[in-house]
Amino acid sequence: MEYINYHPDLELARRILEYYPTTPRVYLRSFGCQQNVNDGELLRGVLAGVGFEGTEDQAQADLIIFNTCAVREHAEQRVFGNIGALKKLKAKNPRLTIAVCGCMVQQKEVVEKLRASYPFVDLTFGPNEIDQLPQLLFQKLSGGRRVLSDPNDRTDIVEELPVVRGSDFKAFLPIMYGCDNFCSYCIVPYVRGRERSRRPKDILREFSTLVQQGYKEITLLGQNVNSYGKGLEEKVDFSDLLEMLCRLPGDYILRFMTSHPKDATHKLIDTIAAHPEHLAPHLHLPVQSGSDPILKEMNRHYTRQQYLELIAYARKTIPGVTFSSDIIVGFPGETAEDFSQTLSLLKEVGYMQLFTFIYSKRGGTRAATLPDPTPYEEKADRIAAIQRQQENILEPMMKARIGSVQRVLVESAGRTEGTLAGRMVDNTLVQFTLPQGKTPADLIGSFVRVAITDARLSMLLGEVADQ
Ligand code: SAH
Ligand code: SF4
Ligand code: F3S
């Protein structure tokens, strides 16, 4: 593995711009996880360096990029639907370039399908080739032929890519790429390649720039941040990295995604407890299932009991800690008894937020070879049962916050006139009255303290406590 620095190629940019009579425009849409969204921001950065402007209107675009996700079949179908809809646009404007990038095109059969059935797609490239976009685009423009690349297994880490961020107060900061865990249902290790960590000095440089620029919420990204540091020259683990970052003074909070329970340590929990000013008292700790036989089949490397012990240690150590999780329902062979174990675990933990998915078969993964006799309708019933139970669990947890004062990062106008909305450190939505004499612009992008006066299932309501 090599670390390389990105250097914009100005001569190449000049030659690309010769193909466009006026400033070219790019429409880019990201379909996947935060990592995928961050890739989209880097792609925008690289294109801005070439001289492109962004547009939200596909009809105005000279280049359309779909930055895709392969994690579930539904995600892929949505992308194919959206690509199909571009056919007309391309017929009207033959000079339009259509690119499909991201995790989906790291599968050979997807590239084949695009080649055979979507002749108006001009360009494909994987998530590890962001820096190559100018070359690929030039190749397409100058040669006229489609440039559909096969999936690649490039392992370089490219530093100093330019970036155009989607927000000026919330930012993503990738600390590692790829995944080595091979959970049996998951396609990510196949499309994102092997796990590799950025060097602490590179992360620190980007982080201090973000803090200087006034970013208030910085989310560290990795498929399993708890295994950060493996393979680096320097001996450093994820808790050490958090310590290092927290030393930087400033008005910000740090979050991170995703923490795999098998590698979450007491040291990590102690580190969170030691830095309440910067580290949110919140853990996204995806459990996936509450049943030991299913966890084993999923290749998750922890038991229900080990998971619950971790939760108990966090409760004991971090005051006011809350949790969120991902759940897969209907994994091949999941019985009614396995499922009831999941329901009981969800009750035991009491998550503030749950992301529930019906198992989706992914070609090439181990779980795809397992018998899966449960009908889809039954899986859908199970997910509905989780949602009903979760509402009952959440209601008293939300009500318990009435009367408290919470730190809220203000994000936008609220749903009702004269209100603003923001999020607590654990993602809970809070809507509050715009204080007299303030405009939304005064407060959006900053922290306020909100006294909570009422609670709904989906959000808390309140008034600014002191300002
Ligand atoms: N690296 C992260 C998750 C990445 S994918 C982690 O380990 O937690 C995000 C979520 O999608 C997973 O947590 C899982 O709940 C869900 N997921 C992944 N593959 C899936 C599949 N084949 N079917 C249904 N859900 C899946
Ligand atoms: Fe997929 Fe597991 Fe890796 Fe997460 S840790 S990306 S679920 S293989
Ligand atoms: Fe999807 Fe790739 Fe992220 S498969 S979830 S966009 S890593």
Side-chain angles (χ1 to χ4, degrees):
M1 184 184 82
E2 253 186 278
Y3 294 89
I4 47 185
N5 285 337
Y6 181 77
H7 297 290
D9 183 339
L10 298 178
E11 174 57 20
L12 182 63
R14 195 189 57 74
R15 293 172 71 189
I16 289 173
L17 290 180
E18 277 175 1
Y19 285 89
Y20 299 102
T22 53
T23 303
R25 296 192 181 135
V26 56
Y27 170 95
L28 182 144
R29 179 166 167 198
S30 294
F31 289 80
C33 61
Q34 286 97 331
Q35 193 109 52
N36 172 264
V37 170
N38 183 246
D39 288 345
E41 296 177 332
L42 296 169
L43 287 165
R44 286 182 200 276
V46 167
L47 286 168
V50 172
F52 274 77
E53 270 174 11
T55 173
E56 298 295 309
D57 179 4
Q58 291 185 347
Q60 298 277 325
D62 302 282
L63 169 63
I64 290 180
I65 302 183
F66 284 162
N67 182 25
T68 63
C69 170
V71 81
R72 282 170 291 274
E73 194 184 355
H74 176 72
E76 295 200 336
Q77 282 164 349
R78 206 155 55 105
V79 170
F80 276 120
N82 277 281
I83 299 174
L86 294 180
K87 188 175 175 179
K88 275 199 204 129
L89 217 54
K90 180 79 170 198
K92 253 194 254 160
N93 174 12
R95 294 176 58 89
L96 170 66
T97 303
I98 296 175
V100 182
C101 66
C103 292
M104 253 173 90
V105 294
Q106 283 289 86
Q107 303 167 96
K108 218 170 169 32
E109 54 294 0
V110 169
V111 181
E112 283 316 313
K113 185 167 166 180
L114 292 174
R115 201 186 303 278
S117 312
Y118 296 83
F120 47 94
V121 170
D122 300 295
L123 203 62
T124 64
F125 57 97
N128 303 334
E129 292 177 291
I130 292 170
D131 59 325
Q132 301 295 314
L133 177 55
Q135 277 85 345
L136 293 168
L137 180 60
F138 181 70
Q139 201 180 326
K140 162 69 189 111
L141 292 171
S142 59
R145 307 238 320 261
R146 308 169 79 189
V147 182
L148 306 189
S149 14
D150 281 334
N152 73 86
D153 48 12
R154 185 171 172 210
T155 57
D156 302 328
I157 287 189
V158 184
E159 293 294 348
E160 297 184 355
L161 282 167
V163 59
V164 174
R165 296 190 191 272
S167 159
D168 48 17
F169 54 92
K170 289 166 73 154
F172 295 128
L173 173 46
I175 61 166
M176 59 203 294
Y177 305 99
C179 182
D180 283 352
N181 294 292
F182 291 94
C183 302
S184 64
Y185 50 81
C186 185
I187 198 157
V188 171
Y190 301 90
V191 294
R192 285 271 173 178
R194 296 292 57 74
E195 188 177 288
R196 49 214 187 272
S197 294
R198 291 178 75 188
R199 291 169 300 200
K201 62 170 180 156
D202 295 321
I203 297 171
L204 233 127
R205 182 167 13 88
E206 186 170 349
F207 179 69
S208 54
T209 307
L210 288 170
V211 172
Q212 269 165 25
Q213 289 171 338
Y215 280 88
K216 295 287 183 271
E217 180 190 288
I218 298 163
T219 306
L220 309 179
L221 297 179
Q223 296 301 339
N224 174 11
V225 291
N226 296 328
S227 64
Y228 173 79
K230 278 185 202 150
L232 286 176
E233 264 172 41
E234 220 170 312
K235 209 174 148 347
V236 50
D237 68 13
F238 183 53
S239 306
D240 302 332
L241 179 72
L242 286 176
E243 277 289 344
M244 230 181 288
L245 297 177
C246 280
R247 253 180 252 146
L248 198 78
D251 183 26
Y252 62 84
I253 58 162
L254 264 177
R255 301 163 176 265
F256 48 87
M257 291 262 279
T258 296
S259 209
H260 194 308
K262 82 177 163 70
D263 299 315
T265 56
H266 285 195
K267 182 178 172 189
L268 170 67
I269 290 168
D270 296 342
T271 307
I272 298 172
H275 294 283
E277 72 295 1
H278 291 319
L279 294 180
H282 176 74
L283 268 176
H284 180 64
L285 205 59
V287 69
Q288 312 296 357
S289 166
S291 151
D292 281 338
I294 295 295
L295 287 172
K296 192 155 198 312
E297 282 293 336
M298 287 179 163
N299 196 31
R300 291 289 286 181
H301 293 283
Y302 53 84
T303 62
R304 174 194 176 96
Q305 199 194 341
Q306 285 166 338
Y307 182 88
L308 288 172
E309 274 166 11
L310 204 57
I311 296 276
Y313 184 75
R315 279 233 157 86
K316 192 174 79 182
T317 316
I318 309 169
V321 68
T322 57
F323 304 96
S324 56
S325 185
D326 297 349
I327 301 289
I328 295 178
V329 171
F331 181 83
E334 182 189 73
T335 62
E337 167 55 24
D338 292 317
F339 176 64
S340 74
Q341 292 282 313
T342 298
L343 279 181
S344 84
L345 180 131
L346 296 180
K347 226 188 254 170
E348 207 165 325
V349 176
Y351 294 100
M352 279 312 294
Q353 226 179 358
L354 273 188
F355 302 90
T356 44
F357 308 104
I358 291 185
Y359 168 76
S360 169
K361 184 173 173 174
R362 306 282 65 207
T365 62
R366 212 187 69 203
T369 63
L370 299 173
D372 187 6
T374 312
Y376 187 84
E377 295 70 41
E378 196 167 329
K379 298 184 180 189
D381 286 347
R382 287 181 190 170
I383 220 164
I386 291 190
Q387 272 144 11
R388 275 196 308 275
Q389 171 177 286
Q390 181 61 12
E391 289 184 5
N392 292 330
I393 295 173
L394 205 53
E395 199 187 331
M397 288 171 61
M398 292 294 268
K399 286 213 169 116
R401 290 172 150 175
I402 297 176
S404 67
V405 175
Q406 303 286 348
R407 186 183 189 196
V408 172
L409 178 58
V410 187
E411 294 190 342
S412 61
R415 279 180 216 161
T416 28
E417 185 80 26
T419 65
L420 291 178
R423 290 191 185 267
M424 284 169 41
V425 286
D426 67 0
N427 256 333
T428 304
L429 190 63
V430 180
Q431 182 171 286
F432 59 94
T433 316
L434 179 66
Q436 277 206 333
K438 295 272 184 194
T439 67
D442 293 336
L443 295 182
I444 288 174
S446 57
F447 291 109
V448 294
R449 288 162 51 75
V450 178
I452 305 301
T453 54
D454 203 356
R456 306 271 149 80
L457 259 186
S458 59
M459 67 175 159
L460 299 170
L461 303 174
E463 308 284 336
V464 170
D466 47 41
Q467 204 83 59

